[in-house]
Amino acid sequence: MTFEPGQVVTRRYWRGGLCTWVQPMRVIADDADGLLLWSPVGSDVARLVDADGRNPHDLPVDELRDPRLTVGAWERYDVLVLMPPQAAYSVWWFFDDGVFAGWYVNLEEPCVRHPGGVDTTDLVLDLVVSPERRWEWKDADEFAERVGHPLYFDRATADGIRAEGERLIGLVEAAEFPFDGTYTDFRPGPDWPAPRLPRDVEAAVRDR
C-alpha cells in the first residue's frame, strides 16, 4: 500500500488494545527511504488522557482511569516525520518558524499500513538530537519502569530497543543519513491547510 503526496493520513499508536495517539499528517513522499509526513503547529493531535488528567507517560495504560482520546493542537514545532521501511523507529525533524531546530528519534515498532494511514506501538525510549548532533536519551526513567510490565516489554526486548537506539546514535555521530542534513531546509507548500481530525475521534479509531 502506497500513499500519494498531498494525501492526509493518520499516524496512530496502540497499546493494550487502546489507541493512545492519533495525528493527522500530510504525505510528502512514500518511496524507498520510507513514508515522509508533515504536520505544522496548530494541526490536530489526539492523546489518551484519563479522568484524572494523566496520560501513558504518567502510568501504564492499564492503570489509567476511564481514559479517552482528547483532541488538542500540535504545539511549538512544525514537524517532518520519516518512517523508514520495516524500521523500529521514526525520525522527526523539528522546525521553529521555518528554521531547523533538531531531530527527535522515536523508538517504535515497525508500522502497519491501513487505508487511512499507519499504526505502530511507541517503545517509550527516545533520543533528542540538537542541530549540532549532540544527543541525549529521553524518557529513560519511564522506559526502565515499564520493563517487565505485561503490556510493554521484557528485559531481553528492552535491551534490543536500547541497542537500536545506540545504533542510531552511531549514525548521528557519523552524520550519516538521516542525520546528514537531508530535509533540514524543507519548506512546506504555502497553501497547505493544517490537517484535522474528525469530530468524533473515538469513533474514527474503532475500526482498526
Side-chain angles (χ1 to χ4, degrees):
M1 182 182 300
T2 302
F3 300 112
E4 295 297 322
Q7 182 179 354
V8 174
V9 299
T10 56
R11 229 176 87 85
R12 306 189 302 194
Y13 295 162
W14 293 84
R15 172 77 64 186
L18 290 173
C19 184
T20 62
W21 174 283
V22 187
Q23 187 171 22
M25 306 190 78
R26 187 172 304 277
V27 177
I28 304 304
D30 192 8
D31 53 28
D33 287 336
L35 179 60
L36 187 65
L37 304 172
W38 171 256
S39 184
V41 169
S43 298
D44 287 347
V45 61
R47 300 175 175 89
L48 194 69
V49 179
D50 79 355
D52 303 308
R54 297 172 298 188
N55 62 55
H57 285 295
D58 301 317
L59 290 173
V61 294
D62 59 341
E63 295 180 22
L64 296 174
R65 186 170 68 88
D66 194 23
R68 293 284 188 272
L69 283 170
T70 301
V71 179
W74 180 254
E75 298 177 338
R76 189 172 181 185
Y77 295 116
D78 300 326
V79 63
L80 192 66
V81 174
L82 178 66
M83 306 177 72
Q86 304 304 312
Y89 64 91
S90 60
V91 177
W92 306 15
W93 285 254
F94 286 148
F95 296 87
D96 187 358
D97 288 331
V99 177
F100 174 64
W103 296 273
Y104 188 91
V105 178
N106 198 76
L107 295 167
E108 61 193 38
E109 291 185 358
C111 71
V112 176
R113 296 183 178 220
H114 58 87
V118 290
D119 288 350
T120 184
T121 297
D122 182 64
L123 296 177
V124 182
L125 187 64
D126 304 311
L127 287 164
V128 177
V129 184
S130 75
E132 298 77 25
R133 299 184 182 83
R134 294 190 297 269
W135 60 267
E136 61 180 329
W137 293 108
K138 183 177 180 295
D139 298 329
D141 290 345
E142 179 188 341
F143 179 72
E145 290 170 359
R146 299 294 185 264
V147 175
H149 190 288
L151 293 183
Y152 289 81
F153 22 75
D154 58 20
R155 170 52 61 189
T157 303
D159 289 346
I161 294 167
R162 181 173 285 273
E164 179 67 352
E166 291 170 346
R167 185 187 72 83
L168 291 160
I169 288 169
L171 297 182
V172 170
E173 293 179 338
E176 294 184 12
F177 181 82
F179 308 103
D180 59 351
T182 301
Y183 302 130
T184 57
D185 59 352
F186 177 81
R187 296 293 182 271
D191 58 347
W192 291 353
R196 300 299 179 199
L197 288 168
R199 179 172 297 180
D200 188 353
V201 67
E202 291 275 1
V205 301
R206 287 185 195 126
D207 185 17
R208 186 175 177 181

